[in-house]
Amino acid sequence: MTEARVIPIQPVASGAAPDAAPAAALADGLGCHAGRDQMQQAAAAAGKSDVLAQYAADYPLRSDAGPHDQPQSMCPAFGSLRVGLRMRRTATILSGSACCVYGLTFTSHFYGARRSVGYVPFNSETLVTGKLFEDIRDAVHAQADPARLDAIVIINLCVPTASGVPLKLLPKEINGVRIIGIDVPGFGVPTHAEAKDVLAAAMLRYARGEAEAGPVAAPRQARTGQPAITLLGEMFPADPPGIAQMLAPMGLAVGTVVPTREWRELYAALDCAAVAAIHPFYTASVREFEAAGRPVVGSAPVGMDGTHDWLGAIGAAAGVAPAAIDAARNATLGAMRGVLATQKINGRITLSGYEGSELLVGRLLVECGADLRYVGSACPATPWNAADAEWLRARGVHVQMRASLEQDLAAVAEWKPQLAIGTTPVVQAAKQAAIPALYFTNLISARPLMGVAGAGSLIQVINGAIGNQARFDSMKDFFGGVGQGDEAGVWEEVPRHFPAFRADVRRQNEKARKKRKAEEMGG
Ligand code: SF4
């Protein structure tokens, strides 16, 4: 066991004002519901300014102080946790408040992790004295068994990040097991999509260093010998083989999908002719590929225009002759033209999500004939989705990057679509208004999108959903009279209104609110 040492945690000055930033962060229990600014100040004061500055550059918020000052969907750290849990021979350990860890482990098992999540608990004392860091280091040493593991990932959640728990002081490797410590606070990483990038990039950086230092392990699957295209972004399992077919006439192969499923795939991912940033929010990962000298191409082979442009861009990046690019285009676009000529989507649609692939789905919907009015993505505008946004806007679609839930809901209210595709609360609101709705994450991003297979599959599911309107109407007729809001439920009598009582309660609440505010300002 290594000798205990004191870790440089920002001390709390006695008599500090109650809202002093570090003091706020040191109190367990603050998190999404505490102010972002307060947590950021605490983290900066505790020595995390460089990490936060990098996150601010990589994952920019909207200039009008956009909505993502607090997570509006699941905890962002879920993205990193998921990437770690999906890798073979990799252990993932969380350091954070118990309530956050409870939610994250629950969600990961809900999504079928089938893997234990490590947890190093803390209390105010271990946080303030630096003992938490010692506990994390002990946990990492206890887990570092090279017979079982290639890597251990430790994720600092909000409170340990704001308190400056210095994961960078952990050893880089123990007994040959790589140690990857990352900070993934909700006040620095806006979405769980971008949190995937935080871990993917940290691993790529580590693997790049190893590859630069000497020979590294070959990937498990034999390679074809053709120049490979690395695919950046989690996608439906049928998409990479579909993309491989499209690339074949250019003499290119599909390489590794990042985030990878195993450590040694990281070397293969770096060893590519070009990188296809299918998901556009992997800013830090792109930096690693560019540092390795790999060209990066945005957008994806969705729809006729998207596939035409993407094949051209990939071919150019990989140095393919124009004749071979044309051959690849002809092979795919001919078949896709056939699908689009025989099937169509007829209906007005709004689309929103937080997966990062919303613009790609939007393009495909438009090419399939949909009257698409709005695309909202919780992810930011990047160079790799710029062409998609421009293409959609040129066709009259309102594109909202870093969209808030409120904007997504307003779009449904404004356009009254025949189908609302969205996140859980958007779908809930649409269904309440008797509008057919589909969950983006479970029903749209979990199906093929690329090439011919993508077009065929999307048309089917969308038309099926729009065709459900009659069922929504009959449900509304049947249940419509059971009451709404505070009148909903099972009542023995029809609920009666008491406007005077309601006004009285409202007055009392308002009075109490003003009193609280006056006390806060005076205190
Ligand atoms: S770690 Fe996640 S759940 Fe916990 S406070 Fe931060 S954003 Fe919220």
Side-chain angles (χ1 to χ4, degrees):
M1 182 83 45
T2 30
E3 196 189 318
R5 59 185 284 264
V6 176
I7 300 303
I9 299 273
Q10 180 76 18
V12 189
S14 63
D19 61 348
L26 293 176
D28 184 12
L30 290 187
C32 323
H33 51 285
R36 174 172 61 110
D37 294 346
Q38 196 182 25
M39 297 295 273
Q40 281 186 333
Q41 278 169 23
K48 296 276 182 185
S49 342
D50 51 342
V51 178
L52 291 182
Q54 188 63 63
Y55 287 166
D58 287 348
Y59 314 122
L61 296 174
R62 282 198 348 232
S63 54
D64 54 347
H68 285 283
D69 58 344
Q70 307 286 329
Q72 278 193 307
S73 62
M74 69 184 83
C75 167
F78 180 62
S80 302
L81 178 61
R82 178 183 160 95
V83 166
L85 288 177
R86 293 181 83 199
M87 283 182 78
R88 280 193 206 102
R89 293 175 50 81
T90 301
T92 312
I93 298 175
L94 297 176
S95 150
S97 302
C99 49
C100 310
V101 173
Y102 169 75
L104 286 164
T105 49
F106 178 90
T107 314
S108 58
H109 294 302
F110 179 81
Y111 281 102
R114 285 181 293 176
R115 190 91 70 82
S116 296
V117 179
Y119 175 37
V120 181
F122 68 87
N123 57 34
S124 302
E125 191 183 329
T126 61
L127 197 60
V128 172
T129 59
K131 174 76 168 55
L132 171 58
F133 177 79
E134 304 299 333
D135 291 346
I136 292 172
R137 199 179 55 188
D138 289 350
V140 168
H141 274 276
Q143 291 289 314
D145 173 6
R148 285 192 309 116
L149 297 176
D150 291 333
I152 298 177
V153 176
I154 307 100
I155 301 173
N156 255 353
L157 302 178
C158 282
V159 171
T161 303
S163 305
V165 174
L167 296 183
K168 63 182 175 193
L169 297 185
L170 289 171
K172 265 191 85 130
E173 57 99 16
I174 301 169
N175 303 329
V177 178
R178 300 153 183 94
I179 311 297
I180 315 278
I182 51 172
D183 298 303
V184 191
F187 55 85
V189 182
T191 62
H192 85 283
E194 289 154 301
K196 293 181 194 172
D197 179 44
V198 173
L199 181 53
M203 290 185 160
L204 283 167
R205 192 176 321 126
Y206 199 121
R208 188 164 60 80
E210 290 178 314
E212 281 167 3
V216 289
R220 192 181 291 264
Q221 281 177 331
R223 309 186 71 186
T224 60
Q226 292 174 312
I229 305 299
T230 291
L231 303 180
L232 193 45
E234 287 179 306
M235 61 198 83
F236 187 70
D239 273 335
I243 294 174
Q245 268 185 345
M246 288 186 242
L247 294 178
M250 296 197 284
L252 300 174
V254 158
T256 309
V257 177
V258 174
T260 63
R261 296 300 186 95
E262 192 170 16
W263 187 271
R264 54 179 154 173
E265 288 178 4
L266 290 162
Y267 311 128
L270 288 161
D271 183 21
C272 64
V275 178
I278 301 281
H279 285 181
F281 52 80
Y282 282 88
T283 303
S285 300
V286 163
R287 193 163 48 241
E288 294 308 317
F289 284 115
E290 287 178 342
R294 310 296 171 215
V296 179
V297 171
S299 194
V302 286
M304 297 287 294
D305 287 0
T307 304
H308 177 277
D309 294 351
W310 186 82
L311 287 171
I314 288 286
V320 172
I325 296 176
D326 286 343
R329 282 172 169 162
N330 290 341
T332 298
L333 297 179
M336 197 182 294
R337 199 171 285 118
V339 171
L340 295 178
T342 51
Q343 304 174 45
K344 279 271 171 247
I345 294 173
N346 293 309
R348 192 168 56 256
I349 296 178
T350 57
L351 165 67
S352 41
Y354 46 63
E355 301 295 332
S357 53
E358 291 75 27
L359 273 55
L360 301 178
V361 175
R363 288 189 72 152
L364 192 50
L365 285 171
V366 171
E367 288 218 18
C368 293
D371 176 12
L372 182 68
R373 299 297 174 92
Y374 171 86
V375 177
S377 175
C379 292
T382 70
W384 305 286
N385 58 22
D388 299 323
E390 195 183 322
W391 188 95
L392 285 165
R393 289 187 176 121
R395 282 151 189 83
V397 180
H398 181 98
V399 177
Q400 180 63 61
M401 305 309 297
R402 279 276 187 251
S404 66
L405 172 60
E406 292 73 18
Q407 286 168 321
D408 294 343
L409 291 173
V412 174
E414 161 102 12
W415 300 114
K416 301 196 174 34
Q418 286 153 286
L419 176 70
I421 302 172
T423 54
T424 308
V426 173
V427 166
Q428 193 180 355
K431 286 184 172 171
Q432 207 169 345
I435 296 171
L438 288 174
Y439 293 106
F440 186 89
T441 303
N442 299 7
L443 296 170
I444 301 296
S445 69
R447 62 180 55 251
L449 288 177
M450 315 295 158
V452 185
S457 136
L458 193 67
I459 292 171
Q460 227 175 9
V461 71
I462 298 290
N463 282 342
I466 291 178
N468 272 339
Q469 183 65 59
R471 289 168 67 185
F472 277 87
D473 292 341
S474 60
M475 276 195 286
K476 193 178 179 191
D477 286 348
F478 187 79
F479 291 110
V482 299
Q484 290 201 347
D486 58 358
E487 293 177 13
V490 179
W491 302 84
E492 290 185 358
E493 295 170 14
V494 176
R496 274 190 296 142
H497 287 257
F498 294 98
F501 176 72
R502 188 174 282 203
D504 199 34
V505 171
R506 192 170 292 143
R507 254 195 315 276
Q508 283 177 21
N509 285 344
E510 182 59 14
K511 213 165 128 190
R513 191 188 65 76
K514 282 189 180 148
K515 189 170 165 221
R516 257 197 326 273
K517 194 150 189 211
E519 281 170 2
E520 274 169 25
M521 289 173 78

